[in-house]
Amino acid sequence: MISEEKFLELSREFLVERLGSKAEEIDANTELVESGILDSLMVLEFFFFLEGITGTAVDPGSATVESLATLRGAYQLVVAA
Amino acid sequence: MPDTGTTSSRDPWLLVALHGYGGTADEMIRTLSSAAAGRYDLVIVGPDGPDRPGLVPGGNAWYPITSQEPLIARWSRELVPWVVRYVEGEQSRHAARTERTVLVGFSQGVSVGAAVLDHSSIARRAVFVCGRPLGEGAREREDLRPREVLVVTGGRDRFVRSEDVRSDTARRRDRQRFAHVELPGLGHDFSNEVAKIAIEHATQEE
């Protein structure tokens, strides 16, 4: 099981690679969707990134925009997979 | 409508749009209709997928989002009877024959369309855009023709890599049916350019 600390590190790397410097300040509670950091396509890309971390399917019923609103919320999806 | 006679070039082409995750049939139909402006020999229809996508509120989906290929293949196969019923209804409504019925799939709609080709004879041709034609492929049948399925991928697609799609088609029993074109500038998008290519391929007379 990946630790939350490691998950946050990998997620930040993923987001910085795609979004550049605006992703550098993201922390566990930064609002990702309403703030516009993640657009609709990036939400999907981020979801596939999560599946890559878990190596399995994320529970379809839990995959909602709200669940990806913050990295802390996204980590809960990873833990539950 | 079952094929009970010869196909006339005056029979309508029936294009069945199968949208992607978070999309709608209307969006695809609009794009295809715009690309088909001036053509009176085709009818463009499409259903909305039965699932509601949690990551794209307001849209439709065929199945929950995942990158897990076995799940995609299984869920797509389970949708075949649903899609076949829809297409049969449209064929009956528009007096369109199987010979001139073409599936046009985008993204998730590609895996669904490929499953329909594999497990039914409801359509002969297809155009698959930015998606994975997973599955073993249709068993050998006399009516299958080379290159009747056009697969379009984008060099700038962030979700579907051309090499993965090439592997999908190479693994299929009916791989001779498939032709593949990669558009270097295309992202994950059912663009006007793609719609024109789709219509051109779909409506070629043999």
PDB file of all heavy atoms in Angstrom, chain A residues 15-35:
ATOM      1  N   LEU A  15       1.471  16.129 -11.887  1.00  0.00           N
ATOM      2  CA  LEU A  15       0.778  17.370 -12.227  1.00  0.00           C
ATOM      3  C   LEU A  15       1.746  18.449 -12.713  1.00  0.00           C
ATOM      4  O   LEU A  15       1.441  19.196 -13.653  1.00  0.00           O
ATOM      5  CB  LEU A  15      -0.023  17.868 -11.014  1.00  0.00           C
ATOM      6  CG  LEU A  15      -1.188  16.948 -10.602  1.00  0.00           C
ATOM      7  CD1 LEU A  15      -1.787  17.382  -9.273  1.00  0.00           C
ATOM      8  CD2 LEU A  15      -2.256  16.924 -11.695  1.00  0.00           C
ATOM      9  N   VAL A  16       2.922  18.520 -12.113  1.00  0.00           N
ATOM     10  CA  VAL A  16       3.912  19.521 -12.547  1.00  0.00           C
ATOM     11  C   VAL A  16       4.377  19.211 -13.965  1.00  0.00           C
ATOM     12  O   VAL A  16       4.537  20.116 -14.794  1.00  0.00           O
ATOM     13  CB  VAL A  16       5.117  19.559 -11.573  1.00  0.00           C
ATOM     14  CG1 VAL A  16       6.266  20.365 -12.168  1.00  0.00           C
ATOM     15  CG2 VAL A  16       4.696  20.152 -10.233  1.00  0.00           C
ATOM     16  N   GLU A  17       4.549  17.939 -14.255  1.00  0.00           N
ATOM     17  CA  GLU A  17       4.987  17.545 -15.593  1.00  0.00           C
ATOM     18  C   GLU A  17       3.995  18.017 -16.654  1.00  0.00           C
ATOM     19  O   GLU A  17       4.365  18.423 -17.742  1.00  0.00           O
ATOM     20  CB  GLU A  17       5.118  16.017 -15.636  1.00  0.00           C
ATOM     21  CG  GLU A  17       5.764  15.467 -16.889  1.00  0.00           C
ATOM     22  CD  GLU A  17       5.854  13.952 -16.815  1.00  0.00           C
ATOM     23  OE1 GLU A  17       6.377  13.425 -15.810  1.00  0.00           O
ATOM     24  OE2 GLU A  17       5.373  13.291 -17.751  1.00  0.00           O
ATOM     25  N   ARG A  18       2.713  17.969 -16.312  1.00  0.00           N
ATOM     26  CA  ARG A  18       1.691  18.338 -17.296  1.00  0.00           C
ATOM     27  C   ARG A  18       1.267  19.793 -17.227  1.00  0.00           C
ATOM     28  O   ARG A  18       0.906  20.392 -18.250  1.00  0.00           O
ATOM     29  CB  ARG A  18       0.458  17.440 -17.129  1.00  0.00           C
ATOM     30  CG  ARG A  18       0.680  16.081 -17.770  1.00  0.00           C
ATOM     31  CD  ARG A  18      -0.197  15.020 -17.187  1.00  0.00           C
ATOM     32  NE  ARG A  18       0.074  13.750 -17.838  1.00  0.00           N
ATOM     33  CZ  ARG A  18       1.162  13.007 -17.561  1.00  0.00           C
ATOM     34  NH1 ARG A  18       2.047  13.425 -16.678  1.00  0.00           N
ATOM     35  NH2 ARG A  18       1.352  11.860 -18.195  1.00  0.00           N
ATOM     36  N   LEU A  19       1.271  20.346 -16.030  1.00  0.00           N
ATOM     37  CA  LEU A  19       0.698  21.688 -15.860  1.00  0.00           C
ATOM     38  C   LEU A  19       1.755  22.762 -15.610  1.00  0.00           C
ATOM     39  O   LEU A  19       1.432  23.948 -15.599  1.00  0.00           O
ATOM     40  CB  LEU A  19      -0.304  21.679 -14.700  1.00  0.00           C
ATOM     41  CG  LEU A  19      -1.458  20.679 -14.823  1.00  0.00           C
ATOM     42  CD1 LEU A  19      -2.277  20.654 -13.543  1.00  0.00           C
ATOM     43  CD2 LEU A  19      -2.334  21.029 -16.015  1.00  0.00           C
ATOM     44  N   GLY A  20       2.970  22.330 -15.378  1.00  0.00           N
ATOM     45  CA  GLY A  20       4.027  23.306 -15.157  1.00  0.00           C
ATOM     46  C   GLY A  20       4.027  23.881 -13.756  1.00  0.00           C
ATOM     47  O   GLY A  20       3.501  23.281 -12.811  1.00  0.00           O
ATOM     48  N   SER A  21       4.545  25.085 -13.653  1.00  0.00           N
ATOM     49  CA  SER A  21       4.826  25.654 -12.337  1.00  0.00           C
ATOM     50  C   SER A  21       3.573  25.892 -11.493  1.00  0.00           C
ATOM     51  O   SER A  21       3.642  25.926 -10.270  1.00  0.00           O
ATOM     52  CB  SER A  21       5.591  26.963 -12.497  1.00  0.00           C
ATOM     53  OG  SER A  21       4.843  27.836 -13.319  1.00  0.00           O
ATOM     54  N   LYS A  22       2.421  26.048 -12.141  1.00  0.00           N
ATOM     55  CA  LYS A  22       1.204  26.321 -11.346  1.00  0.00           C
ATOM     56  C   LYS A  22       0.833  25.135 -10.457  1.00  0.00           C
ATOM     57  O   LYS A  22       0.030  25.270  -9.541  1.00  0.00           O
ATOM     58  CB  LYS A  22       0.032  26.713 -12.242  1.00  0.00           C
ATOM     59  CG  LYS A  22      -0.602  25.597 -13.042  1.00  0.00           C
ATOM     60  CD  LYS A  22      -1.846  26.144 -13.753  1.00  0.00           C
ATOM     61  CE  LYS A  22      -2.475  25.051 -14.618  1.00  0.00           C
ATOM     62  NZ  LYS A  22      -3.681  25.489 -15.315  1.00  0.00           N
ATOM     63  N   ALA A  23       1.426  23.976 -10.740  1.00  0.00           N
ATOM     64  CA  ALA A  23       1.129  22.799  -9.915  1.00  0.00           C
ATOM     65  C   ALA A  23       2.110  22.614  -8.772  1.00  0.00           C
ATOM     66  O   ALA A  23       1.910  21.749  -7.918  1.00  0.00           O
ATOM     67  CB  ALA A  23       1.130  21.546 -10.793  1.00  0.00           C
ATOM     68  N   GLU A  24       3.145  23.446  -8.730  1.00  0.00           N
ATOM     69  CA  GLU A  24       4.188  23.236  -7.724  1.00  0.00           C
ATOM     70  C   GLU A  24       3.697  23.467  -6.296  1.00  0.00           C
ATOM     71  O   GLU A  24       4.209  22.886  -5.351  1.00  0.00           O
ATOM     72  CB  GLU A  24       5.396  24.136  -8.022  1.00  0.00           C
ATOM     73  CG  GLU A  24       6.216  23.618  -9.207  1.00  0.00           C
ATOM     74  CD  GLU A  24       7.301  24.580  -9.626  1.00  0.00           C
ATOM     75  OE1 GLU A  24       7.405  25.671  -9.015  1.00  0.00           O
ATOM     76  OE2 GLU A  24       8.025  24.251 -10.578  1.00  0.00           O
ATOM     77  N   GLU A  25       2.714  24.341  -6.146  1.00  0.00           N
ATOM     78  CA  GLU A  25       2.250  24.702  -4.802  1.00  0.00           C
ATOM     79  C   GLU A  25       1.097  23.840  -4.322  1.00  0.00           C
ATOM     80  O   GLU A  25       0.549  24.076  -3.237  1.00  0.00           O
ATOM     81  CB  GLU A  25       1.806  26.173  -4.780  1.00  0.00           C
ATOM     82  CG  GLU A  25       2.897  27.162  -5.199  1.00  0.00           C
ATOM     83  CD  GLU A  25       4.143  27.030  -4.330  1.00  0.00           C
ATOM     84  OE1 GLU A  25       3.990  26.915  -3.101  1.00  0.00           O
ATOM     85  OE2 GLU A  25       5.261  27.007  -4.896  1.00  0.00           O
ATOM     86  N   ILE A  26       0.716  22.858  -5.111  1.00  0.00           N
ATOM     87  CA  ILE A  26      -0.435  22.029  -4.726  1.00  0.00           C
ATOM     88  C   ILE A  26      -0.104  21.210  -3.482  1.00  0.00           C
ATOM     89  O   ILE A  26       0.949  20.577  -3.401  1.00  0.00           O
ATOM     90  CB  ILE A  26      -0.817  21.078  -5.888  1.00  0.00           C
ATOM     91  CG1 ILE A  26      -1.392  21.884  -7.051  1.00  0.00           C
ATOM     92  CG2 ILE A  26      -1.805  20.011  -5.424  1.00  0.00           C
ATOM     93  CD1 ILE A  26      -1.633  21.060  -8.297  1.00  0.00           C
ATOM     94  N   ASP A  27      -1.008  21.265  -2.512  1.00  0.00           N
ATOM     95  CA  ASP A  27      -0.836  20.404  -1.342  1.00  0.00           C
ATOM     96  C   ASP A  27      -2.033  19.454  -1.239  1.00  0.00           C
ATOM     97  O   ASP A  27      -2.888  19.433  -2.142  1.00  0.00           O
ATOM     98  CB  ASP A  27      -0.645  21.216  -0.055  1.00  0.00           C
ATOM     99  CG  ASP A  27      -1.866  22.065   0.288  1.00  0.00           C
ATOM    100  OD1 ASP A  27      -2.988  21.663  -0.083  1.00  0.00           O
ATOM    101  OD2 ASP A  27      -1.694  23.117   0.922  1.00  0.00           O
ATOM    102  N   ALA A  28      -2.090  18.710  -0.181  1.00  0.00           N
ATOM    103  CA  ALA A  28      -3.107  17.656  -0.056  1.00  0.00           C
ATOM    104  C   ALA A  28      -4.524  18.196  -0.117  1.00  0.00           C
ATOM    105  O   ALA A  28      -5.453  17.479  -0.533  1.00  0.00           O
ATOM    106  CB  ALA A  28      -2.902  16.898   1.255  1.00  0.00           C
ATOM    107  N   ASN A  29      -4.710  19.452   0.277  1.00  0.00           N
ATOM    108  CA  ASN A  29      -6.068  19.995   0.361  1.00  0.00           C
ATOM    109  C   ASN A  29      -6.375  21.056  -0.693  1.00  0.00           C
ATOM    110  O   ASN A  29      -7.427  21.688  -0.649  1.00  0.00           O
ATOM    111  CB  ASN A  29      -6.295  20.592   1.757  1.00  0.00           C
ATOM    112  CG  ASN A  29      -6.184  19.524   2.828  1.00  0.00           C
ATOM    113  OD1 ASN A  29      -6.817  18.471   2.727  1.00  0.00           O
ATOM    114  ND2 ASN A  29      -5.350  19.765   3.832  1.00  0.00           N
ATOM    115  N   THR A  30      -5.474  21.271  -1.623  1.00  0.00           N
ATOM    116  CA  THR A  30      -5.727  22.249  -2.681  1.00  0.00           C
ATOM    117  C   THR A  30      -6.911  21.803  -3.540  1.00  0.00           C
ATOM    118  O   THR A  30      -6.992  20.640  -3.952  1.00  0.00           O
ATOM    119  CB  THR A  30      -4.489  22.386  -3.598  1.00  0.00           C
ATOM    120  OG1 THR A  30      -3.371  22.772  -2.805  1.00  0.00           O
ATOM    121  CG2 THR A  30      -4.729  23.409  -4.693  1.00  0.00           C
ATOM    122  N   GLU A  31      -7.826  22.714  -3.765  1.00  0.00           N
ATOM    123  CA  GLU A  31      -8.980  22.420  -4.612  1.00  0.00           C
ATOM    124  C   GLU A  31      -8.506  22.332  -6.064  1.00  0.00           C
ATOM    125  O   GLU A  31      -7.975  23.292  -6.625  1.00  0.00           O
ATOM    126  CB  GLU A  31     -10.032  23.525  -4.453  1.00  0.00           C
ATOM    127  CG  GLU A  31     -11.173  23.462  -5.430  1.00  0.00           C
ATOM    128  CD  GLU A  31     -11.878  22.124  -5.435  1.00  0.00           C
ATOM    129  OE1 GLU A  31     -12.333  21.675  -4.364  1.00  0.00           O
ATOM    130  OE2 GLU A  31     -11.960  21.527  -6.523  1.00  0.00           O
ATOM    131  N   LEU A  32      -8.685  21.161  -6.677  1.00  0.00           N
ATOM    132  CA  LEU A  32      -8.112  20.913  -8.004  1.00  0.00           C
ATOM    133  C   LEU A  32      -9.081  21.199  -9.147  1.00  0.00           C
ATOM    134  O   LEU A  32      -8.657  21.630 -10.226  1.00  0.00           O
ATOM    135  CB  LEU A  32      -7.666  19.447  -8.105  1.00  0.00           C
ATOM    136  CG  LEU A  32      -6.588  18.995  -7.114  1.00  0.00           C
ATOM    137  CD1 LEU A  32      -6.369  17.490  -7.212  1.00  0.00           C
ATOM    138  CD2 LEU A  32      -5.284  19.736  -7.360  1.00  0.00           C
ATOM    139  N   VAL A  33     -10.350  20.954  -8.922  1.00  0.00           N
ATOM    140  CA  VAL A  33     -11.302  21.039 -10.032  1.00  0.00           C
ATOM    141  C   VAL A  33     -11.943  22.421 -10.096  1.00  0.00           C
ATOM    142  O   VAL A  33     -11.866  23.110 -11.127  1.00  0.00           O
ATOM    143  CB  VAL A  33     -12.376  19.934  -9.912  1.00  0.00           C
ATOM    144  CG1 VAL A  33     -13.359  20.027 -11.081  1.00  0.00           C
ATOM    145  CG2 VAL A  33     -11.714  18.556  -9.888  1.00  0.00           C
ATOM    146  N   GLU A  34     -12.561  22.839  -8.992  1.00  0.00           N
ATOM    147  CA  GLU A  34     -13.236  24.148  -9.002  1.00  0.00           C
ATOM    148  C   GLU A  34     -12.258  25.280  -9.255  1.00  0.00           C
ATOM    149  O   GLU A  34     -12.598  26.303  -9.840  1.00  0.00           O
ATOM    150  CB  GLU A  34     -13.968  24.376  -7.677  1.00  0.00           C
ATOM    151  CG  GLU A  34     -15.311  23.651  -7.628  1.00  0.00           C
ATOM    152  CD  GLU A  34     -16.112  24.037  -6.402  1.00  0.00           C
ATOM    153  OE1 GLU A  34     -15.735  25.010  -5.723  1.00  0.00           O
ATOM    154  OE2 GLU A  34     -17.113  23.348  -6.135  1.00  0.00           O
ATOM    155  N   SER A  35     -11.013  25.084  -8.843  1.00  0.00           N
ATOM    156  CA  SER A  35     -10.000  26.122  -9.062  1.00  0.00           C
ATOM    157  C   SER A  35      -9.552  26.173 -10.522  1.00  0.00           C
ATOM    158  O   SER A  35      -8.899  27.127 -10.946  1.00  0.00           O
ATOM    159  CB  SER A  35      -8.770  25.817  -8.201  1.00  0.00           C
ATOM    160  OG  SER A  35      -8.167  24.612  -8.654  1.00  0.00           O
TER     161      SER A  35
END
